[in-house]
Amino acid sequence: RAKVAINEQLSLGVSHINEGRTGGEATLDGVDMSYQFTDQTKLTVEAAQTVDHKETDSNKSGAGYVTEIEHQTQRSHSKIYFREQEAEFGLGQTNASENGLRRMGIETTLNASDHITVKGQAYQQKNTMTDLSREVLEAEGQSKIGQTDLQLGLRTVNDQQENSTNNDTNRS
């Protein structure tokens, strides 16, 4: 791993991992960049490629990408993101449920007062292997009154198989 700060705002990095193992070897090559727009706002971009070299000449390769913009103040934290992990990406340490997943969304937390917190997120994801897509919208409020914690949340989910029916779920 090598990382260089170009200036106070911009840093660039590269990574290379060579994993030798029985039956072949695997490699990961990646690049990343972060740019600090202000003390409160930061952009991060990452891209990586993995190749699994098998002794049987059946190589597998995949890529992963992340782009995030984060904004943090004294009372709030928000993030807009795009992530994609191709089905064959990784060196074995990746979460299998993320394979073939493309997700974009927004998350935010607001500490309205010392006793009240409001959270929300909205995202859309698609499994590129199964063409199953999901849209999620959720909101949550938390309050502490003395020794009592109160929590209220709402969530709606729309699952859709391409060329198929929708399945909607609403929870509160």
Side-chain angles (χ1 to χ4, degrees):
R1 167 99 175 120
K3 186 173 183 178
V4 62
I6 304 300
N7 57 38
E8 289 184 11
Q9 295 171 296
L10 177 64
S11 67
L12 302 173
V14 295
S15 299
H16 174 77
I17 298 172
N18 186 16
E19 184 178 82
R21 56 183 175 212
T22 304
E25 68 176 1
T27 58
L28 178 141
D29 294 298
V31 295
D32 60 87
M33 184 271 307
S34 68
Y35 187 80
Q36 192 79 38
F37 290 101
T38 67
D39 289 343
Q40 299 169 326
T41 306
K42 179 180 180 180
L43 167 69
T44 304
V45 178
E46 301 175 8
Q49 174 82 28
T50 58
V51 179
D52 192 353
H53 307 278
K54 304 275 187 184
E55 287 180 354
T56 60
D57 291 331
S58 61
N59 295 341
K60 296 188 311 183
S61 66
Y65 312 95
V66 177
T67 301
E68 294 181 344
I69 297 175
E70 288 189 84
H71 182 76
Q72 189 162 354
T73 67
Q74 200 170 27
R75 291 212 172 263
S76 69
H77 180 253
S78 299
K79 177 173 28 179
I80 298 172
Y81 62 87
F82 172 82
R83 298 182 188 120
E84 182 169 358
Q85 180 176 306
E86 292 178 351
E88 301 295 334
F89 177 75
L91 298 179
Q93 297 87 3
T94 58
N95 187 344
S97 68
E98 301 285 319
N99 289 348
L101 201 62
R102 178 183 305 134
R103 181 187 282 195
M104 64 184 92
I106 185 169
E107 301 172 1
T108 191
T109 300
L110 173 64
N111 297 314
S113 72
D114 292 340
H115 306 289
I116 298 173
T117 301
V118 179
K119 297 179 182 179
Q121 76 169 330
Y123 65 87
Q124 180 183 43
Q125 71 182 26
K126 181 175 183 175
N127 186 312
T128 59
M129 298 183 306
T130 63
D131 284 329
L132 180 65
S133 64
R134 170 173 278 187
E135 296 172 343
V136 175
L137 178 63
E138 60 186 12
E140 178 182 311
Q142 299 172 342
S143 180
K144 184 170 180 108
I145 302 171
Q147 297 296 316
T148 304
D149 291 330
L150 302 172
Q151 188 172 13
L152 174 67
L154 301 169
R155 182 177 206 200
T156 182
V157 177
N158 179 334
D159 289 330
Q160 182 176 2
Q161 182 77 38
E162 190 138 324
N163 300 322
S164 186
T165 60
N166 287 356
N167 294 318
D168 293 326
T169 305
N170 296 300
R171 297 181 77 183
S172 55

